[in-house]
Amino acid sequence: MHSSFKPPRQVKIGDAAAFAGTTPRAIRHYHEIGLLPEPERGGDDRRRYGYEDMIRLLWIRKMADAGIALDDIRDAFTTGTDSEDGIANTLERLEETLTEQEAELRRQRTAVQRMRTEGSRMGLLSDFVTDRLKNLPEDSLRQADLDTLLVTERIFGPLGAAVQATRFIALATHPALREDSDRIDDAEEALDDSVPVDDPRVTQLAIERHTFESALQAVIEESGLDEDDDALFDAWDALHPEPADDDEADIRSGRREAGSMSAFEAIGKMPYDASPAQWRCMELAIELSAQDSPST
């Protein structure tokens, strides 16, 4: 991403609420009942929300939309929703209350049953994303991967997240790639605020990131996953014929949801706690990729 536009490292409560699709009042209530930890406050004594705060808030909204009570959501985060026992304990009371008479409750039942079937929060993502991932080996998809897909789905819609899932499918089915990915991720994480942007490690790590991304793309192409992506677009277009109205076209195309902000607006409200050195490393890796592009 070019340095002229970088997502914020922290956002105020209004932006956090807008991104998550809720209200500041609801977020304050989450704080009051211990569902969402109180974040740090800035110099103006206002709450500031970072990446981890937003990830938790997004999952809260997903679970609440599925009909799970706030007390049960809080228990889920405490006991671990992604364990089999955690899912059973969290959803047992909800499933007892659902009936077949109301369409909304049927929708909730579908989301809850899918969450139970998948054994993780993956079941709370859209069908289009979940179907893309359901054949992966057990425990090969990690919570951090789901968090990334959750954010992508919120910004770019189900189609964007389903396409991004290709990356995690390749990593899940190629252990050597996963190992390289973890090593580079850890090295990038070490480029904190104490590391200057001109540190030699920044350039070296950008080269390693570029080399890794090239290898990952080669695996995706060799395994035919890129062809699966093409099929995704065809399937989405068949399910969502593009209307004449531009706003409606954005919604139908999977780029955003009805009544939601644009992708550009959403990116500006999602915080990422990246240091200047980390951003510089990303920029250099992108420049190296651009140099390899046939159109360059």
PDB file of all heavy atoms in Angstrom, residues 256-271:
ATOM      1  N   ARG A 256     -19.671  -4.860  -1.199  1.00  0.00           N
ATOM      2  CA  ARG A 256     -20.125  -4.336   0.078  1.00  0.00           C
ATOM      3  C   ARG A 256     -21.576  -4.749   0.308  1.00  0.00           C
ATOM      4  O   ARG A 256     -22.247  -5.233  -0.590  1.00  0.00           O
ATOM      5  CB  ARG A 256     -19.996  -2.808   0.137  1.00  0.00           C
ATOM      6  CG  ARG A 256     -20.759  -2.048  -0.938  1.00  0.00           C
ATOM      7  CD  ARG A 256     -20.383  -0.575  -0.884  1.00  0.00           C
ATOM      8  NE  ARG A 256     -21.048   0.201  -1.907  1.00  0.00           N
ATOM      9  CZ  ARG A 256     -22.222   0.810  -1.748  1.00  0.00           C
ATOM     10  NH1 ARG A 256     -22.848   0.719  -0.606  1.00  0.00           N
ATOM     11  NH2 ARG A 256     -22.757   1.519  -2.723  1.00  0.00           N
ATOM     12  N   GLU A 257     -22.041  -4.540   1.535  1.00  0.00           N
ATOM     13  CA  GLU A 257     -23.383  -4.910   1.908  1.00  0.00           C
ATOM     14  C   GLU A 257     -24.314  -3.713   1.766  1.00  0.00           C
ATOM     15  O   GLU A 257     -23.890  -2.565   1.777  1.00  0.00           O
ATOM     16  CB  GLU A 257     -23.410  -5.401   3.363  1.00  0.00           C
ATOM     17  CG  GLU A 257     -22.521  -6.625   3.598  1.00  0.00           C
ATOM     18  CD  GLU A 257     -22.458  -6.985   5.058  1.00  0.00           C
ATOM     19  OE1 GLU A 257     -22.946  -6.173   5.873  1.00  0.00           O
ATOM     20  OE2 GLU A 257     -21.925  -8.040   5.379  1.00  0.00           O
ATOM     21  N   ALA A 258     -25.612  -4.012   1.663  1.00  0.00           N
ATOM     22  CA  ALA A 258     -26.595  -2.938   1.577  1.00  0.00           C
ATOM     23  C   ALA A 258     -26.518  -2.061   2.828  1.00  0.00           C
ATOM     24  O   ALA A 258     -26.473  -2.547   3.946  1.00  0.00           O
ATOM     25  CB  ALA A 258     -27.993  -3.535   1.438  1.00  0.00           C
ATOM     26  N   GLY A 259     -26.508  -0.751   2.618  1.00  0.00           N
ATOM     27  CA  GLY A 259     -26.477   0.181   3.732  1.00  0.00           C
ATOM     28  C   GLY A 259     -25.112   0.334   4.362  1.00  0.00           C
ATOM     29  O   GLY A 259     -24.967   1.014   5.380  1.00  0.00           O
ATOM     30  N   SER A 260     -24.091  -0.276   3.819  1.00  0.00           N
ATOM     31  CA  SER A 260     -22.770  -0.196   4.417  1.00  0.00           C
ATOM     32  C   SER A 260     -21.955   0.900   3.753  1.00  0.00           C
ATOM     33  O   SER A 260     -22.324   1.452   2.729  1.00  0.00           O
ATOM     34  CB  SER A 260     -22.043  -1.535   4.285  1.00  0.00           C
ATOM     35  OG  SER A 260     -21.691  -1.765   2.938  1.00  0.00           O
ATOM     36  N   MET A 261     -20.816   1.188   4.354  1.00  0.00           N
ATOM     37  CA  MET A 261     -19.903   2.176   3.801  1.00  0.00           C
ATOM     38  C   MET A 261     -19.163   1.576   2.613  1.00  0.00           C
ATOM     39  O   MET A 261     -19.153   0.369   2.407  1.00  0.00           O
ATOM     40  CB  MET A 261     -18.918   2.616   4.880  1.00  0.00           C
ATOM     41  CG  MET A 261     -17.943   1.538   5.300  1.00  0.00           C
ATOM     42  SD  MET A 261     -17.066   1.929   6.830  1.00  0.00           S
ATOM     43  CE  MET A 261     -18.327   1.516   8.040  1.00  0.00           C
ATOM     44  N   SER A 262     -18.543   2.448   1.824  1.00  0.00           N
ATOM     45  CA  SER A 262     -17.749   1.966   0.701  1.00  0.00           C
ATOM     46  C   SER A 262     -16.498   1.264   1.214  1.00  0.00           C
ATOM     47  O   SER A 262     -16.096   1.434   2.374  1.00  0.00           O
ATOM     48  CB  SER A 262     -17.352   3.131  -0.202  1.00  0.00           C
ATOM     49  OG  SER A 262     -16.408   3.958   0.457  1.00  0.00           O
ATOM     50  N   ALA A 263     -15.862   0.491   0.346  1.00  0.00           N
ATOM     51  CA  ALA A 263     -14.635  -0.202   0.740  1.00  0.00           C
ATOM     52  C   ALA A 263     -13.558   0.798   1.133  1.00  0.00           C
ATOM     53  O   ALA A 263     -12.825   0.592   2.111  1.00  0.00           O
ATOM     54  CB  ALA A 263     -14.147  -1.094  -0.400  1.00  0.00           C
ATOM     55  N   PHE A 264     -13.448   1.901   0.405  1.00  0.00           N
ATOM     56  CA  PHE A 264     -12.432   2.906   0.718  1.00  0.00           C
ATOM     57  C   PHE A 264     -12.679   3.500   2.097  1.00  0.00           C
ATOM     58  O   PHE A 264     -11.747   3.684   2.895  1.00  0.00           O
ATOM     59  CB  PHE A 264     -12.445   4.015  -0.340  1.00  0.00           C
ATOM     60  CG  PHE A 264     -11.359   5.043  -0.161  1.00  0.00           C
ATOM     61  CD1 PHE A 264     -10.073   4.804  -0.606  1.00  0.00           C
ATOM     62  CD2 PHE A 264     -11.627   6.245   0.481  1.00  0.00           C
ATOM     63  CE1 PHE A 264      -9.069   5.745  -0.425  1.00  0.00           C
ATOM     64  CE2 PHE A 264     -10.626   7.192   0.659  1.00  0.00           C
ATOM     65  CZ  PHE A 264      -9.348   6.938   0.198  1.00  0.00           C
ATOM     66  N   GLU A 265     -13.942   3.796   2.399  1.00  0.00           N
ATOM     67  CA  GLU A 265     -14.269   4.333   3.721  1.00  0.00           C
ATOM     68  C   GLU A 265     -13.964   3.314   4.808  1.00  0.00           C
ATOM     69  O   GLU A 265     -13.443   3.662   5.876  1.00  0.00           O
ATOM     70  CB  GLU A 265     -15.747   4.719   3.770  1.00  0.00           C
ATOM     71  CG  GLU A 265     -16.129   5.916   2.918  1.00  0.00           C
ATOM     72  CD  GLU A 265     -17.627   6.122   2.861  1.00  0.00           C
ATOM     73  OE1 GLU A 265     -18.381   5.117   2.826  1.00  0.00           O
ATOM     74  OE2 GLU A 265     -18.053   7.291   2.836  1.00  0.00           O
ATOM     75  N   ALA A 266     -14.280   2.053   4.545  1.00  0.00           N
ATOM     76  CA  ALA A 266     -14.066   1.012   5.544  1.00  0.00           C
ATOM     77  C   ALA A 266     -12.583   0.824   5.838  1.00  0.00           C
ATOM     78  O   ALA A 266     -12.189   0.673   7.000  1.00  0.00           O
ATOM     79  CB  ALA A 266     -14.679  -0.300   5.064  1.00  0.00           C
ATOM     80  N   ILE A 267     -11.755   0.838   4.812  1.00  0.00           N
ATOM     81  CA  ILE A 267     -10.312   0.674   5.010  1.00  0.00           C
ATOM     82  C   ILE A 267      -9.778   1.764   5.922  1.00  0.00           C
ATOM     83  O   ILE A 267      -8.906   1.527   6.766  1.00  0.00           O
ATOM     84  CB  ILE A 267      -9.584   0.687   3.653  1.00  0.00           C
ATOM     85  CG1 ILE A 267      -9.915  -0.582   2.873  1.00  0.00           C
ATOM     86  CG2 ILE A 267      -8.075   0.796   3.844  1.00  0.00           C
ATOM     87  CD1 ILE A 267      -9.397  -0.582   1.455  1.00  0.00           C
ATOM     88  N   GLY A 268     -10.302   2.971   5.784  1.00  0.00           N
ATOM     89  CA  GLY A 268      -9.849   4.082   6.609  1.00  0.00           C
ATOM     90  C   GLY A 268     -10.301   4.010   8.049  1.00  0.00           C
ATOM     91  O   GLY A 268      -9.828   4.794   8.882  1.00  0.00           O
ATOM     92  N   LYS A 269     -11.213   3.084   8.360  1.00  0.00           N
ATOM     93  CA  LYS A 269     -11.720   2.962   9.721  1.00  0.00           C
ATOM     94  C   LYS A 269     -11.220   1.701  10.427  1.00  0.00           C
ATOM     95  O   LYS A 269     -11.469   1.518  11.622  1.00  0.00           O
ATOM     96  CB  LYS A 269     -13.253   2.971   9.717  1.00  0.00           C
ATOM     97  CG  LYS A 269     -13.860   4.291   9.240  1.00  0.00           C
ATOM     98  CD  LYS A 269     -15.378   4.249   9.280  1.00  0.00           C
ATOM     99  CE  LYS A 269     -15.996   5.516   8.673  1.00  0.00           C
ATOM    100  NZ  LYS A 269     -15.586   6.733   9.376  1.00  0.00           N
ATOM    101  N   MET A 270     -10.545   0.824   9.702  1.00  0.00           N
ATOM    102  CA  MET A 270     -10.022  -0.398  10.305  1.00  0.00           C
ATOM    103  C   MET A 270      -8.582  -0.186  10.718  1.00  0.00           C
ATOM    104  O   MET A 270      -7.706   0.014   9.868  1.00  0.00           O
ATOM    105  CB  MET A 270     -10.128  -1.559   9.308  1.00  0.00           C
ATOM    106  CG  MET A 270      -9.545  -2.872   9.845  1.00  0.00           C
ATOM    107  SD  MET A 270     -10.426  -3.477  11.320  1.00  0.00           S
ATOM    108  CE  MET A 270      -9.189  -4.603  12.005  1.00  0.00           C
ATOM    109  N   PRO A 271      -8.286  -0.204  12.014  1.00  0.00           N
ATOM    110  CA  PRO A 271      -6.919   0.073  12.469  1.00  0.00           C
ATOM    111  C   PRO A 271      -5.976  -1.119  12.323  1.00  0.00           C
ATOM    112  O   PRO A 271      -6.371  -2.268  12.500  1.00  0.00           O
ATOM    113  CB  PRO A 271      -7.123   0.404  13.960  1.00  0.00           C
ATOM    114  CG  PRO A 271      -8.328  -0.405  14.347  1.00  0.00           C
ATOM    115  CD  PRO A 271      -9.221  -0.427  13.133  1.00  0.00           C
TER     116      PRO A 271
END
